[in-house]
Amino acid sequence: MPHRDYTTYKKFNPVGGGIRRVYEPIEVDFTPLISEGIRELGLDRSEPWQINVHQNRTCADGGRPGPLTPEGVHHDGHEFVMIAILNKVNVAGGTTRLWKPGADAPFWSGTLEAGQAVLLDDRGLAHDVTDVLSADGGPGHRDIVIIAFSRWAEKWYGDEHDAAALEEQEA
């Protein structure tokens, strides 16, 4: 499918929802990683799925941390989500935390390294990530790819979806 801007609803992301997020087109073939996610999740291949892929680099420098989830504990709104760490350079922090509904504390937390990923049922679990910090006071960054899996019938794609997400009023 053609490259498109990413839109989501404010009900899922009060910071990044309701706006058009523009990402550069991806020039890397993530098919092997996507295939691994499909296999591990056991997706029903008898029906069509939409798979959203976007990359993100979070930078930190000295006393300036890199916030990874300014929206806090959240759901992305998709059925399943994979967060894969591609690279980490001179950073600390960035602890991924998974939360059960209504919990006061995460049931799992871990700092993923390059080449590791977390797959989650986005409807059953919420997630967040602590800020990335410079490991030695100098510049650093953490690169990830987020792969979201939604049944095609849920229509997370196209002009109609984008218009609805951009027009959504905060509850």
Side-chain angles (χ1 to χ4, degrees):
M1 301 186 87
H3 174 77
R4 292 180 65 93
D5 297 337
Y6 182 75
T7 58
T8 191
Y9 295 93
K10 288 181 184 179
K11 67 183 175 186
F12 298 121
N13 187 330
V15 175
I19 61 173
R20 192 174 294 280
R21 289 192 269 177
V22 179
Y23 293 95
E24 293 294 320
I26 293 175
E27 297 179 11
V28 174
D29 181 5
F30 285 115
T31 302
L33 187 59
I34 293 167
S35 296
E36 184 71 17
I38 290 169
R39 187 172 37 262
E40 290 296 320
L41 290 167
L43 293 188
D44 179 357
R45 307 238 7 216
S46 69
E47 65 179 300
W49 289 80
Q50 176 187 337
I51 301 171
N52 287 346
V53 180
H54 65 276
Q55 295 173 269
N56 181 283
R57 171 173 279 180
T58 302
C59 298
D61 193 0
R64 186 180 51 86
L68 291 165
T69 52
E71 66 275 24
V73 178
H74 66 284
H75 299 270
D76 291 338
H78 299 278
E79 193 163 341
F80 302 106
V81 173
M82 173 190 274
I83 303 165
I85 310 302
L86 301 175
N87 193 20
K88 290 169 69 171
V89 175
N90 194 39
V91 293
T95 300
T96 300
R97 303 184 300 183
L98 303 180
W99 304 73
K100 291 183 180 178
D104 293 330
F107 75 90
W108 182 87
S109 63
T111 303
L112 303 174
E113 299 301 328
Q116 295 181 318
V118 63
L119 286 165
L120 59 113
D121 173 347
D122 190 53
R123 302 220 170 118
L125 301 174
H127 63 281
D128 73 337
V129 183
T130 63
D131 291 351
V132 166
L133 308 168
S134 169
D136 67 5
H141 62 268
R142 175 182 182 257
D143 299 329
I144 66 170
V145 62
I146 300 167
I147 303 170
F149 303 88
S150 298
R151 293 173 200 272
W152 186 257
E154 292 182 11
K155 196 66 174 152
W156 272 81
Y157 183 88
D159 295 336
E160 202 174 298
H161 161 61
D162 291 352
L166 295 172
E167 293 172 6
E168 177 193 36
Q169 299 299 309
E170 281 196 61

